[in-house]
Structure formats: structure tokens, C-alpha cells
Amino acid sequence: MRLVIARCSVDYAGRLTAHLPSAPRLILVKADGSVSVHADDRAYKPLNWMSPPCTLKEGEDKWTVENKAGEKLIITMEEVLHDSSHELGVDPGLIKDGVEAHLQELLADRMDTLGEGWTLIRREYPTAIGPVDILCRDADGTTVAIEIKRRGEIDGVEQLTRYLDLLNRDPHLAPVKGMFAAQEIKPQARVLATDRGIDCVTLDYDALRGIEDDKLRLF
């Protein structure tokens, strides 16, 4: 990871245009290729960012970040106050809470609840940006990546989108479809998932444990 603190202005050109006037800001360049620009008063959310895959070209006083869609993030450097790089190594990933981890285990053991002919490839399938909860095949033999949450929100859909982008570059797996599974899925997350061609599944924890009849609701 590279951390740069600089007085800079930022311009975004893509589906719309946006401008951040000159101010001191934190710029993060992560190992996955993402670039994000942060202020000191916005908690974790960046002011602007470019998700991978993208390329970073550094000029003497200008950085240009461009993604495969041709969208650009142009950072005009006025004064660099700090510039350092740090090797964080492979992250062990988020330790899921008991219910979320158990949902993953139960669904992996009972793939037939998603439909006849569904088969498990692997739980915690490793990728360069973290493990996919479940990688499996549907009845037609298509590879499906499943992200499991107790409560499904937009961040989970974004996470699954990044996994799908990476997995679909592997010719041995592609094409890979996405499935977002949770006990509760927020309406905004469902809309975003649908827009990206990702199926949503509401998981019944008791049904998966065999306390009630199997009930999975697909949308």
C-alpha cells in the first residue's frame, strides 16, 4: 500500500464530471490497483476513487488514473507532504460472526437447496483480493460465486462484483455468475445486484438447519 498526503485538486471524467478544489488530502494506492482520495472528516468513505482494474500514470505534477471503461481520475499535485509505501502481506480476511459462518457451512453442505444438480466446488475459494464464500456449479454446469451475509447491504454487492470481475478472467472458470445470499437483503442492495445481473437469495437459517421445511426465496 502507498500513502500520499498532498495538497491537490481532483477531476473525474466519465459518465459524469466532478471536481474537488485544492485542499490537503490522503491518497491511497492499494495492491489491488485501486486508487482512492480521502478527506479527514468523512470517516472511511473516499471523496473519489477508481476501482480495479485500472492504470496509474504519474507525471511530474499530475496523476492520471484510468479504468478499462475509459473513465479518468486526474489528480493535480501542488505539494506532496508525505509519500510512503508499506507491504501489508496477505490479509487473513474478515472473521465472520457465528451465524454468517454457519450459514456458509450449511449452504455448502446442502447445495441442493438452491436447485437440483447444484454442486460445490469449494468453500472460501481463494482469490488475490480475498476468499469467495462459496464457488459452485449450477445444474447447467455454469460456475457461480456466492457471497453470504447475515444482512445484505450495498457493500456486499460491491464485494461480490469485485470477485466476479477477477474470476471471469480465469478461462477455466468463466463465465462466472454471481449470487448474493443473506437472511435479509436491503432494497438498495437488491436493486444494485439486479442491475449487475446478480441473483439474490434470502436464506432461512432454521430451514437450512432442518428445523423447518427448506425455504429459499430467489428474486
Side-chain angles (χ1 to χ4, degrees):
M1 176 183 288
R2 184 177 176 190
L3 294 86
V4 177
I5 299 175
R7 178 173 291 277
C8 62
S9 59
V10 183
D11 291 279
Y12 168 79
R15 289 166 292 182
L16 47 81
T17 58
H19 174 72
L20 294 173
S22 175
R25 297 190 174 92
L26 169 66
I27 304 166
L28 295 180
V29 183
K30 297 175 66 177
D32 64 2
S34 63
V35 179
S36 56
V37 181
H38 299 258
D40 204 20
D41 62 347
R42 304 295 174 92
Y44 66 91
K45 188 174 183 179
L47 296 167
N48 217 326
W49 68 94
M50 193 70 77
S51 300
C54 57
T55 58
L56 168 61
K57 295 181 181 178
E58 295 184 42
E60 185 174 341
D61 58 1
K62 184 178 293 184
W63 288 13
T64 301
V65 188
E66 185 173 359
N67 65 15
K68 61 182 181 181
E71 298 169 311
K72 293 183 179 180
L73 196 64
I74 300 170
I75 306 172
T76 303
M77 301 289 194
E78 298 173 14
E79 181 184 8
V80 176
L81 306 172
H82 175 84
D83 189 345
S84 63
S85 297
H86 308 269
E87 293 292 337
L88 302 185
V90 178
D91 191 270
L94 179 68
I95 304 299
K96 299 177 182 293
D97 66 41
V99 171
E100 196 170 304
H102 200 202
L103 282 170
Q104 181 192 124
E105 180 182 352
L106 289 167
L107 187 57
D109 288 341
R110 304 182 63 185
M111 296 303 303
D112 59 329
T113 58
L114 294 173
E116 186 177 349
W118 283 65
T119 57
L120 176 70
I121 297 175
R122 179 172 172 175
R123 286 178 55 197
E124 299 289 336
Y125 185 88
T127 77
I129 57 174
V132 177
D133 287 342
I134 291 177
L135 195 69
C136 59
R137 287 192 175 91
D138 64 16
D140 297 323
T142 302
T143 308
V144 181
I146 304 177
E147 180 64 26
I148 297 174
K149 301 292 184 186
R150 184 171 61 175
R151 176 179 294 178
E153 302 192 40
I154 284 178
D155 286 351
V157 178
E158 294 284 8
Q159 182 181 358
L160 179 54
T161 300
R162 292 192 292 271
Y163 289 146
L164 289 171
D165 184 76
L166 197 63
L167 292 169
N168 273 299
R169 299 182 212 171
D170 186 339
H172 299 292
L173 297 174
V176 183
K177 298 193 302 184
M179 178 175 285
F180 191 49
Q183 288 181 284
E184 173 192 1
I185 300 177
K186 294 295 185 180
Q188 299 93 332
R190 193 182 299 280
V191 169
L192 181 60
T194 301
D195 182 67
R196 295 183 177 179
I198 295 171
D199 291 331
C200 290
V201 173
T202 303
L203 298 175
D204 188 318
Y205 186 46
D206 289 337
L208 283 171
R209 289 188 295 164
I211 294 176
E212 300 175 0
D213 291 336
D214 291 348
K215 294 177 184 177
L216 287 180
R217 290 177 290 161
L218 281 73
F219 297 83

